[in-house]
Amino acid sequence: TLIETLNGIKHIKDIKIGEMVKAFDKQKDEIAFTLCLNKWKKTKPKYLEITTKSNKRIISSLEHTFFLNDNNRLLEIKASMLSNNFILINDKLENEAIESISKVNKIIDLVDIETETGNFFANNLLVHNSSQRYHRVTEGMAKEFFRRVADNMKEIFFDMPRLKGIL
């Protein structure tokens, strides 16, 4: 995956935290360079190969989020929900229709980054910030849910002296 930086085009694996990468500033509605805040390597058991009609190609985890052009509004969608003819956005803010999507059942090491703007251009296609952030948020929500369940269980069952356990 290629990423444009202020110092030229680099493979995503070579991007450094603190480096400026090409992105879309939603508030200013323009292309800008933004700070790379974090970077992760992750191993996935399967991935998608997405090709546009103009022959742009990108490899993505099923969880990564892309931006669609929906009547000039940015719409977020997980890669696993993409379909042929959906309209992605390129680095000239032009439409890029998806020609094909192939699901590959093969283990792959992928690199993902987090940026200040919440997005970046990968192989000249606008993609959302790191999916790792999504996993951190959902993990935090799950921990909070189980803490609340434990609190309620304690409130209901703690005063039952004959209770030996709950399966």
Side-chain angles (χ1 to χ4, degrees), residues 27 67 77 84 87 89 98 101 111 118 143-144 147 164:
Q27 292 176 339
F67 290 100
I77 187 169
N84 289 351
I87 305 297
I89 300 163
I98 295 174
I101 301 172
V111 175
K143 285 180 182 178
E144 174 62 21
R147 185 195 61 74
K164 300 291 184 206

Side-chain angles (χ1 to χ4, degrees), residues 67-122:
F67 290 100
L68 295 181
N69 184 353
D70 182 37
N71 293 321
N72 293 321
R73 291 179 323 166
L74 287 181
L75 181 69
E76 296 179 11
I77 187 169
K78 295 284 176 217
S80 61
M81 302 300 291
L82 289 170
S83 184
N84 289 351
N85 297 315
F86 277 27
I87 305 297
L88 301 176
I89 300 163
N90 70 19
D91 64 340
K92 293 176 178 45
L93 303 182
E94 298 169 337
N95 293 339
E96 287 281 343
I98 295 174
E99 173 78 19
S100 66
I101 301 172
S102 301
K103 188 178 203 179
V104 181
N105 292 312
K106 182 179 172 186
I107 294 173
I108 189 170
D109 288 330
L110 296 171
V111 175
D112 201 358
I113 62 174
E114 179 180 6
T115 67
E116 281 185 320
T117 58
N119 63 68
F120 59 97
F121 288 96

